[in-house]
Amino acid sequence: MDAKPIVGRKKPHVVFIPFPAQSHIKCMLKLARLLHHKGIEITFINTEWNHKRLFKYGGSSGLDGIPGFRFNTVLDGLPSSTDDGTEPTQTVEELGLYLLTNFLDPFLDLVAGLETPPTYIICDSTMTFTNTIDAAEKLKIPIFLYWTMAATGFMAYYLAKVLLEKGILPLKG
């Protein structure tokens, strides 16, 4: 099916916010590609470090520079380089703590600077700790929380409380 041009209406523009981990980025990027293929403008927001890795290892697969698909970044608290030339690293906890206090304002500034105002935000459901729902409310833009885990991960998450209540978790011995 070919994408049909939207005539007489403002072209939709979706901002994607993945959790900064490879599997989350990969899943959200697949959805972004599908929507772009249907004629929707996409802005894909990554952390600086993940953006560099995405382009270094070919994860952008021809999306960079094509009309209607752009990548933007937010800081992640990592230095751009290290003294010994190795890639800088941080734990998920360190990254989460950094984004908790340093994501919202730069994100709002980034969105305000976009050429085309976004009509939707699709946010990784694990990124809500960064106040993306508050951002969507401030911007008056609908937000969709997208679950990027596999079905088995969802079932583990969904049943964790039941397994704890029945004493099955934590595992013993």
Side-chain angles (χ1 to χ4, degrees):
M1 292 177 17
D2 292 331
K4 294 180 182 176
I6 298 168
V7 179
R9 290 189 303 168
K10 185 169 104 175
K11 185 176 180 179
H13 177 192
V14 178
V15 172
F16 276 82
I17 309 168
F19 181 80
Q22 182 178 356
S23 59
H24 294 257
I25 294 167
K26 186 176 177 183
C27 183
M28 300 268 302
L29 198 52
K30 283 182 182 180
L31 179 59
R33 286 176 197 210
L34 288 171
L35 292 177
H36 182 262
H37 179 71
K38 293 295 182 182
I40 296 172
E41 186 175 344
I42 303 295
T43 298
F44 199 87
I45 298 175
N46 256 323
T47 60
E48 290 277 340
W49 190 76
N50 280 314
H51 181 73
K52 288 176 188 173
R53 291 195 71 212
L54 183 70
F55 280 80
K56 181 177 181 180
Y57 297 109
S60 60
S61 296
L63 293 171
D64 187 37
I66 64 169
F69 201 112
R70 77 182 57 79
F71 290 94
N72 286 91
T73 61
V74 293
L75 295 175
D76 47 25
L78 284 170
S80 56
S81 63
T82 59
D83 293 337
D84 62 1
T86 60
E87 288 185 343
T89 61
Q90 66 191 157
T91 65
V92 173
E93 181 181 11
E94 291 168 334
L95 176 61
L97 288 172
Y98 182 85
L99 291 174
L100 177 65
T101 57
N102 296 288
F103 179 82
L104 184 59
D105 290 334
F107 172 72
L108 291 171
D109 291 343
L110 189 151
V111 170
L114 292 174
E115 194 173 303
T116 308
T119 50
Y120 301 98
I121 296 172
I122 297 180
C123 178
D124 193 311
S125 60
T126 56
M127 279 295 281
T128 56
F129 71 93
T130 61
N131 300 313
T132 52
I133 295 171
D134 294 339
E137 288 173 357
K138 283 182 182 180
L139 297 165
K140 297 182 180 7
I141 301 172
I143 185 168
F144 299 91
L145 300 180
Y146 183 57
W147 186 270
T148 57
M149 279 191 215
T152 54
F154 172 76
M155 288 307 294
Y157 179 80
Y158 183 71
L159 293 173
K161 183 178 179 186
V162 173
L163 296 172
L164 285 167
E165 289 170 353
K166 290 186 176 189
I168 297 169
L169 290 178
L171 298 174
K172 296 163 184 79

